[in-house]
Amino acid sequence: MYKILLLLLISSFCFAGPVDDFMTAGKKVIERGYPSWQVEVYKKYIDKPEKLTVKMAVITSYNGQESCGKIDSHNNPCTEKTAASNKIPQYRYIWTKYGLRRVLDTGAKSNDIKAKSMGADLWIDYWYPSPKNPVQGWNKTPVVILNP
Protein backbone atom coordinates (compact mmCIF):
# COMPACT_ATOMS: atom_id res chain seq x y z
CA MET A 1 0.00 0.00 0.00
CA TYR A 2 2.78 2.43 0.89
CA LYS A 3 4.58 1.67 -2.36
CA ILE A 4 1.46 2.61 -4.34
CA LEU A 5 1.05 5.88 -2.42
CA LEU A 6 4.72 6.71 -2.90
CA LEU A 7 4.47 5.96 -6.62
CA LEU A 8 1.40 8.21 -6.95
CA LEU A 9 3.16 11.00 -5.05
CA ILE A 10 6.29 10.77 -7.20
CA SER A 11 4.31 10.66 -10.46
CA SER A 12 2.30 13.74 -9.47
CA PHE A 13 5.54 15.68 -8.90
CA CYS A 14 7.00 14.48 -12.21
CA PHE A 15 4.09 15.92 -14.17
CA ALA A 16 3.30 19.01 -12.08
CA GLY A 17 5.58 21.12 -14.32
CA PRO A 18 3.63 20.69 -17.58
CA VAL A 19 0.30 21.42 -15.87
CA ASP A 20 1.76 24.52 -14.22
CA ASP A 21 3.20 25.60 -17.59
CA PHE A 22 -0.21 25.06 -19.23
CA MET A 23 -1.89 27.19 -16.54
CA THR A 24 0.71 29.97 -16.93
CA ALA A 25 0.36 30.00 -20.73
CA GLY A 26 -3.42 30.02 -20.39
CA LYS A 27 -3.44 32.98 -18.02
CA LYS A 28 -1.26 34.96 -20.44
CA VAL A 29 -3.55 34.24 -23.40
CA ILE A 30 -6.66 35.12 -21.36
CA GLU A 31 -5.07 38.41 -20.19
CA ARG A 32 -4.04 39.25 -23.76
CA GLY A 33 -7.49 38.31 -25.10
CA TYR A 34 -6.38 36.59 -28.29
CA PRO A 35 -6.38 34.38 -30.26
CA SER A 36 -10.07 34.11 -29.39
CA TRP A 37 -10.32 30.35 -29.93
CA GLN A 38 -7.47 29.84 -27.46
CA VAL A 39 -9.05 32.18 -24.90
CA GLU A 40 -12.22 30.03 -24.98
CA VAL A 41 -10.27 26.79 -24.51
CA TYR A 42 -8.05 28.11 -21.73
CA LYS A 43 -11.05 29.58 -19.86
CA LYS A 44 -12.73 26.18 -19.95
CA TYR A 45 -9.71 24.38 -18.44
CA ILE A 46 -7.70 26.96 -16.50
CA ASP A 47 -8.99 26.02 -13.06
CA LYS A 48 -9.78 22.37 -13.74
CA PRO A 49 -6.56 20.37 -13.39
CA GLU A 50 -8.67 17.24 -12.83
CA LYS A 51 -9.59 17.40 -16.55
CA LEU A 52 -5.94 17.37 -17.62
CA THR A 53 -3.90 14.26 -18.38
CA VAL A 54 -0.14 14.39 -18.86
CA LYS A 55 1.70 11.89 -21.04
CA MET A 56 5.11 11.77 -22.64
CA ALA A 57 4.97 12.48 -26.37
CA VAL A 58 7.25 12.80 -29.34
CA ILE A 59 6.43 15.94 -31.31
CA THR A 60 7.16 16.38 -35.00
CA SER A 61 5.87 18.90 -37.52
CA TYR A 62 4.30 18.96 -40.94
CA ASN A 63 3.47 21.94 -43.10
CA GLY A 64 1.35 23.44 -45.84
CA GLN A 65 4.06 22.89 -48.43
CA GLU A 66 3.78 19.10 -48.06
CA SER A 67 1.09 17.21 -49.97
CA CYS A 68 -0.25 15.78 -46.70
CA GLY A 69 -0.26 19.21 -45.07
CA LYS A 70 -3.15 20.85 -46.85
CA ILE A 71 -6.34 19.09 -45.73
CA ASP A 72 -6.99 17.40 -42.36
CA SER A 73 -8.82 14.10 -41.75
CA HIS A 74 -12.14 15.94 -41.72
CA ASN A 75 -11.63 17.52 -45.17
CA ASN A 76 -10.95 20.96 -43.71
CA PRO A 77 -7.89 23.09 -44.51
CA CYS A 78 -5.07 22.65 -42.00
CA THR A 79 -4.49 25.71 -39.81
CA GLU A 80 -2.32 26.60 -36.85
CA LYS A 81 -4.97 24.92 -34.69
CA THR A 82 -4.24 21.57 -36.35
CA ALA A 83 -2.33 18.66 -34.86
CA ALA A 84 -2.21 15.02 -35.90
CA SER A 85 -2.18 12.02 -33.57
CA ASN A 86 -3.24 8.41 -33.80
CA LYS A 87 -3.63 7.78 -30.07
CA ILE A 88 -5.45 10.93 -28.94
CA PRO A 89 -9.14 11.14 -29.87
CA GLN A 90 -10.04 13.47 -32.72
CA TYR A 91 -11.19 16.97 -31.69
CA ARG A 92 -9.35 16.76 -28.35
CA TYR A 93 -7.25 19.78 -27.40
CA ILE A 94 -3.61 19.29 -26.44
CA TRP A 95 -0.89 21.56 -25.08
CA THR A 96 2.90 21.26 -25.18
CA LYS A 97 5.72 23.77 -24.95
CA TYR A 98 4.97 24.36 -28.65
CA GLY A 99 1.49 25.64 -27.84
CA LEU A 100 -2.18 24.76 -27.87
CA ARG A 101 -3.55 22.63 -30.71
CA ARG A 102 -6.56 20.48 -31.57
CA VAL A 103 -6.21 16.94 -32.87
CA LEU A 104 -7.84 17.08 -36.29
CA ASP A 105 -5.60 14.77 -38.29
CA THR A 106 -3.85 11.41 -38.17
CA GLY A 107 -0.58 10.01 -39.47
CA ALA A 108 1.33 6.86 -40.25
CA LYS A 109 1.26 4.14 -37.58
CA SER A 110 5.06 3.95 -37.88
CA ASN A 111 5.21 7.32 -36.08
CA ASP A 112 3.69 5.70 -32.97
CA ILE A 113 6.20 2.86 -33.17
CA LYS A 114 9.12 5.29 -33.38
CA ALA A 115 7.73 7.37 -30.47
CA LYS A 116 7.45 4.23 -28.34
CA SER A 117 11.05 3.28 -29.21
CA MET A 118 12.06 6.72 -27.89
CA GLY A 119 10.32 6.03 -24.55
CA ALA A 120 7.18 8.09 -25.24
CA ASP A 121 3.53 7.15 -24.88
CA LEU A 122 2.46 8.68 -28.17
CA TRP A 123 3.30 10.76 -31.23
CA ILE A 124 1.90 14.18 -32.19
CA ASP A 125 2.47 16.17 -35.37
CA TYR A 126 2.03 19.98 -35.16
CA TRP A 127 0.97 21.71 -38.39
CA TYR A 128 2.69 24.90 -39.52
CA PRO A 129 2.30 26.93 -42.72
CA SER A 130 5.95 26.44 -43.70
CA PRO A 131 8.94 24.22 -42.92
CA LYS A 132 10.48 27.10 -40.94
CA ASN A 133 8.91 26.45 -37.55
CA PRO A 134 9.95 25.76 -33.95
CA VAL A 135 9.49 21.98 -34.20
CA GLN A 136 12.43 20.40 -36.00
CA GLY A 137 13.05 16.66 -35.88
CA TRP A 138 11.68 14.29 -33.25
CA ASN A 139 11.26 16.02 -29.88
CA LYS A 140 10.35 14.15 -26.70
CA THR A 141 8.31 16.36 -24.38
CA PRO A 142 5.31 16.14 -22.04
CA VAL A 143 1.87 16.77 -23.52
CA VAL A 144 -1.13 18.00 -21.55
CA ILE A 145 -4.31 16.43 -22.92
CA LEU A 146 -7.49 18.41 -22.23
CA ASN A 147 -10.29 15.95 -21.49
CA PRO A 148 -14.02 16.70 -21.85
Side-chain angles (χ1 to χ4, degrees):
M1 180 68 163
Y2 292 112
K3 288 181 182 180
I4 293 171
L5 290 173
L6 182 60
L7 182 60
L8 288 172
L9 182 64
I10 290 169
S11 65
S12 67
F13 280 116
C14 291
F15 289 123
V19 170
D20 291 342
D21 294 345
F22 165 80
M23 298 293 182
T24 300
K27 288 174 185 172
K28 287 179 183 176
V29 168
I30 291 168
E31 286 172 11
R32 189 175 59 219
Y34 67 89
S36 60
W37 72 271
Q38 288 189 12
V39 171
E40 289 177 33
V41 174
Y42 282 121
K43 279 185 176 179
K44 185 176 178 180
Y45 289 94
I46 198 77
D47 292 320
K48 297 184 178 130
E50 70 278 4
K51 291 192 170 233
L52 307 176
T53 302
V54 178
K55 299 219 177 223
M56 189 55 69
V58 171
I59 312 297
T60 57
S61 68
Y62 66 123
N63 65 76
Q65 295 178 16
E66 298 176 52
S67 60
C68 65
K70 304 205 184 305
I71 303 293
D72 68 23
S73 294
H74 307 281
N75 290 322
N76 296 311
C78 293
T79 69
E80 289 199 29
K81 279 188 191 179
T82 307
S85 182
N86 299 322
K87 294 190 173 185
I88 298 173
Q90 292 291 294
Y91 300 105
R92 190 76 44 97
Y93 286 100
I94 58 164
W95 182 90
T96 71
K97 64 184 180 181
Y98 299 107
L100 184 66
R101 294 297 172 104
R102 192 171 198 189
V103 177
L104 298 168
D105 210 352
T106 59
K109 301 288 184 216
S110 58
N111 294 322
D112 299 310
I113 294 166
K114 182 164 181 177
K116 187 172 182 163
S117 76
M118 294 175 66
D121 301 305
L122 52 96
W123 159 85
I124 299 169
D125 213 7
Y126 270 49
W127 185 89
Y128 289 94
S130 77
K132 283 191 165 188
N133 66 68
V135 182
Q136 299 296 314
W138 292 72
N139 305 277
K140 189 173 164 187
T141 190
V143 59
V144 179
I145 303 168
L146 289 62
N147 301 300

